[in-house]
Amino acid sequence: MDIIGILSGIAPFALFALIAIFIAIFVSVPIYSICKKRNGKRTLTKGKLTVSFLILGWFIVVMGLTTFSRAANYEGFFNFRLFSGYVSAWHNWSLKEFQLIIFNMLLFVPLGFLLPLLGKSMRRFMPVSLISLAVTIGIEVLQLLSRRGIFELDDILHNTVGSISGYFLVMAFLAYLERKQKALKPVFMAMAIPLVFTAVFSVALFVYHSKELGNMSIRPAAPQNMNLVKVELTTLLPTTAEPVSLYRNDSIHNVDQVRELASLISKSFGLRQKGDMRTDSYNRIYNYEDDAGVEYNFNYQLDIGSWSLRKENCPTENLQQEALLEQRAGYEKLLASIGLLPAEAVFSTQNENILRWDGANPTEISKATADYVSGGIMITPSMETESPCEIHYFMNDNNYVKQVDIISPAQAYEEIEKGNFESYNDHKAGDHLTVESYSLTYLYDSKGYYQPAYEFNGTFNGEPWSWRIPAITS
């Protein structure tokens, strides 16, 4: 989720929090006045009341974002692997996951900042830390019980660290006000946590850009515990493997190309952009409209280099072969003019209403030593306007790089036995894995390299399943 998505998610809960604060003020102020008249003691100042209302508003927003904005579709998942979020972000080289780590900390900064303003008893480190820890554990437990989230140690860590950061920040501010001078120790403590995380992310950035190949998302954040899991092999696996080809695609994870392509597409069909580009995981999304007010959606998938342009409420109909061929000439000219139609693409029609161009894949890409084009283009023409109902572009230009050494199928299978594979759910005692076959496939890494990987097929507790293991030797 990008910053626009985060802000749009906060907005409705912030409004609800504001209403709750007004209700709290309306109810509590008269009660406070009555109690003050009867007892004659002033236990709460206006400042403390204001801070209390702000903490209430913060809590409502946090509960909305972390729990009530989600559907109850989690099945009591736990994640007790500390720092697994960092490992996952590294393997995916995902800005979204790095942002989520930062966001989880920033979400709790207001709590640590506001608590010391309630009074001097809250200006000690331990009470603030314990309260912050209790609040975040309570939220995680509520997520678990309501099935609206996963109980994660990483979230508890980041929330608590965020609150402690807010505590150090407000203590530095209070020290400056009270002493009327710079308080170096509180300022240093306030800066320490951000500096530590900045250093961690800087080191990760340096290491990532120093290595040739990108990261593989199929690597797990943590290995599965296979001690009580039965793993059965029903096929023979070679113990040696010959070098295979490595390719690269410049379109993968290329944000600049996304912007250029979106501009070309909009100009080609006379479309106007509505709003800013949105980010959803690896998708970059643009909304357009034409002169008639018809809306279009452009969606580019960074991790596989494919994209689509869809026109809303566009009726389609089957066409005669002659009519389809007439449409072909115009679209081929358009695609070629913006460099999107390879010369070797093979044309065909599909379902009497779709124009299709396919790349000519080598019979065995692991042994080829030349560039090749894979995938295809599918266009559904519109009978009402020049712009099509839909373009689905999944043509990939893979450039040959070199030959690389890979592990053998037997070595890759050993990784399965060790639990070094990606799985949505943690395996448990009594699970049964059966590996029946294997093949060598290719997957894009985070730098656009088309890397070889082994795919093992079989069953998991009787149901069809597959596991993928990176093949390039370390």
Side-chain angles (χ1 to χ4, degrees), residues 161-190:
V161 168
S163 184
I164 291 172
S165 297
Y167 166 78
F168 286 140
L169 184 63
V170 74
M171 292 306 293
F173 177 70
L174 291 174
Y176 175 77
L177 289 181
E178 292 172 359
R179 301 175 188 177
K180 304 298 182 181
Q181 61 183 4
K182 294 181 180 179
L184 295 181
K185 183 177 179 180
V187 170
F188 173 78
M189 297 300 293

Side-chain angles (χ1 to χ4, degrees), residues 23-39 41 43-44 49 53:
I23 293 175
I25 293 173
F26 180 78
V27 172
S28 61
V29 169
I31 295 175
Y32 172 73
S33 299
I34 293 172
C35 293
K36 181 184 174 182
K37 288 180 180 179
R38 288 183 177 180
N39 299 328
K41 296 181 180 180
T43 57
L44 287 175
L49 278 173
F53 294 141

Side-chain angles (χ1 to χ4, degrees), residues 152-400:
E152 294 188 272
L153 282 186
D154 273 3
D155 284 350
I156 294 174
L157 171 67
H158 296 141
N159 293 160
T160 305
V161 168
S163 184
I164 291 172
S165 297
Y167 166 78
F168 286 140
L169 184 63
V170 74
M171 292 306 293
F173 177 70
L174 291 174
Y176 175 77
L177 289 181
E178 292 172 359
R179 301 175 188 177
K180 304 298 182 181
Q181 61 183 4
K182 294 181 180 179
L184 295 181
K185 183 177 179 180
V187 170
F188 173 78
M189 297 300 293
M191 295 298 297
I193 293 176
L195 287 175
V196 168
F197 280 91
T198 299
V200 170
F201 293 138
S202 297
V203 170
L205 193 66
F206 174 78
V207 173
Y208 178 78
H209 287 290
S210 297
K211 62 195 191 84
E212 179 187 10
L213 303 181
N215 298 339
M216 296 286 281
S217 61
I218 60 173
R219 295 188 185 277
Q224 297 286 328
N225 185 355
M226 305 295 286
N227 292 334
L228 299 177
V229 176
K230 182 180 179 181
V231 183
E232 184 179 0
L233 178 65
T234 63
T235 187
L236 295 176
L237 299 176
T239 57
T240 60
E242 297 180 356
V244 299
S245 299
L246 176 70
Y247 301 88
R248 193 172 191 276
N249 187 330
D250 293 333
S251 298
I252 307 298
H253 294 286
N254 188 334
V255 179
D256 290 335
Q257 181 167 310
V258 176
R259 297 190 182 96
E260 293 174 6
L261 182 59
S263 178
L264 282 173
I265 294 298
S266 62
K267 290 178 181 177
S268 299
F269 296 111
L271 307 178
R272 297 186 301 274
Q273 184 173 334
K274 294 178 59 180
D276 297 323
M277 180 189 76
R278 293 184 292 113
T279 299
D280 182 10
S281 185
Y282 291 113
N283 297 325
R284 299 298 182 268
I285 304 166
Y286 291 81
N287 290 319
Y288 296 105
E289 67 177 4
D290 60 18
D291 292 336
V294 178
E295 296 186 349
Y296 295 74
N297 176 271
F298 177 82
N299 188 342
Y300 193 106
Q301 294 180 265
L302 279 173
D303 57 331
I304 57 176
S306 69
W307 57 269
S308 64
L309 178 71
R310 291 187 176 90
K311 178 162 60 173
E312 298 294 332
N313 303 318
C314 183
T316 61
E317 60 181 272
N318 293 340
L319 301 175
Q320 297 294 328
Q321 188 72 8
E322 185 176 331
L324 278 174
L325 294 178
E326 289 179 1
Q327 295 274 1
R328 169 192 178 183
Y331 284 117
E332 283 189 341
K333 182 178 180 181
L334 172 65
L335 291 171
S337 68
I338 55 179
L340 295 178
L341 184 64
E344 62 269 33
V346 179
F347 174 78
S348 62
T349 59
Q350 180 176 317
N351 300 335
E352 298 184 335
N353 66 349
I354 296 176
L355 307 173
R356 180 171 184 137
W357 294 264
D358 288 285
N361 290 355
T363 55
E364 194 173 1
I365 64 173
S366 63
K367 302 301 180 184
T369 57
D371 302 346
Y372 75 97
V373 176
S374 64
I377 310 168
M378 298 172 64
I379 297 181
T380 305
S382 169
M383 302 309 299
E384 298 177 347
T385 61
E386 292 185 3
S387 57
C389 286
E390 182 177 356
I391 300 177
H392 181 35
Y393 192 99
F394 51 104
M395 190 80 77
N396 286 315
D397 189 4
N398 299 306
N399 302 310
Y400 175 76

